[in-house]
């Protein structure tokens, strides 16, 4: 997790918006990953791309840079119709999910503290 991305969001909007965004991101993350896995499994590339682009963008804003990178890799593999790469990257995403969830669960102590209104005024 890279708190600088959330700091920028907080600076451009507000601390409350950043806090709400990261809370929603964490809550929706498992479902978003599951949707990508399911659509890739049934080879519905267009829908998978829609879900993937959403997760890629929100991961970037949340500072979840590894998830963002995996989404970019999957986007390329889907565009190239590289079935083997798609399967490997989907597996990487599934394996990364628990560590990202753990980082998000501990974020109030290390991320949102950085984003507090007092810290943003420094």
């Amino acid at each position: 997790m890279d708190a600088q991305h959330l700091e920028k969001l907080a600076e451009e909007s507000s601390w409350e918006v950043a806090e709400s965004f990261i809370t929603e991101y964490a809550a929706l993350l498992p479902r978003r990953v599951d949707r990508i896995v399911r659509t890739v499994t049934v080879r519905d590339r267009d829908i998978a791309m829609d879900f993937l682009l959403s997760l890629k963008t929100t991961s970037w804003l949340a500072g979840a840079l590894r998830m963002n990178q995996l989404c970019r890799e999957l986007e390329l593999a889907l565009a190239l119709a590289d079935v083997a790469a798609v399967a490997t990257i989907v597996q990487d995403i599934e394996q990364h999910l628990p560590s990202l969830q753990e980082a998000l669960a501990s974020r109030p102590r290390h991320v949102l503290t950085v984003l507090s209104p007092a810290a943003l005024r420094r």
Side-chain angles (χ1 to χ4, degrees):
M1 295 294 303
D2 184 344
Q4 292 178 353
H5 291 252
L6 285 173
E7 287 175 22
K8 184 172 178 157
L9 180 60
E11 288 170 1
E12 292 176 359
S13 54
S14 70
W15 178 76
E16 292 80 11
V17 168
E19 182 178 24
S20 175
F21 174 80
I22 196 68
T23 300
E24 184 175 324
Y25 175 79
L28 294 176
L29 182 61
R31 188 168 54 203
R32 285 180 169 169
V33 168
D34 182 59
R35 284 180 177 165
I36 290 168
V37 171
R38 283 188 287 118
T39 56
V40 166
T41 301
V42 298
R43 298 187 180 184
D44 193 336
R45 191 180 78 86
D46 292 337
I47 294 177
M49 280 292 232
D50 287 345
F51 291 143
L52 180 61
L53 293 174
S54 174
L55 180 59
K56 181 179 81 170
T57 302
T58 56
S59 293
W60 178 259
L61 290 171
L65 302 184
R66 177 69 180 138
M67 184 61 79
N68 174 267
Q69 175 65 36
L70 289 167
C71 288
R72 289 187 295 150
E73 291 173 13
L74 183 55
E75 181 180 11
L76 179 59
L78 285 169
L80 296 173
D82 186 340
V83 176
V86 167
T88 299
I89 298 163
V90 165
Q91 185 177 28
D92 290 346
I93 289 172
E94 289 179 302
Q95 290 174 349
H96 177 62
L97 180 60
S99 62
L100 178 53
Q101 288 176 302
E102 186 178 315
L104 289 165
S106 65
R107 69 157 159 62
R109 292 189 274 309
H110 71 279
V111 174
L112 293 181
T113 309
V114 173
L115 294 175
S116 70
L120 290 174
R121 286 193 287 271
R122 286 190 251 155

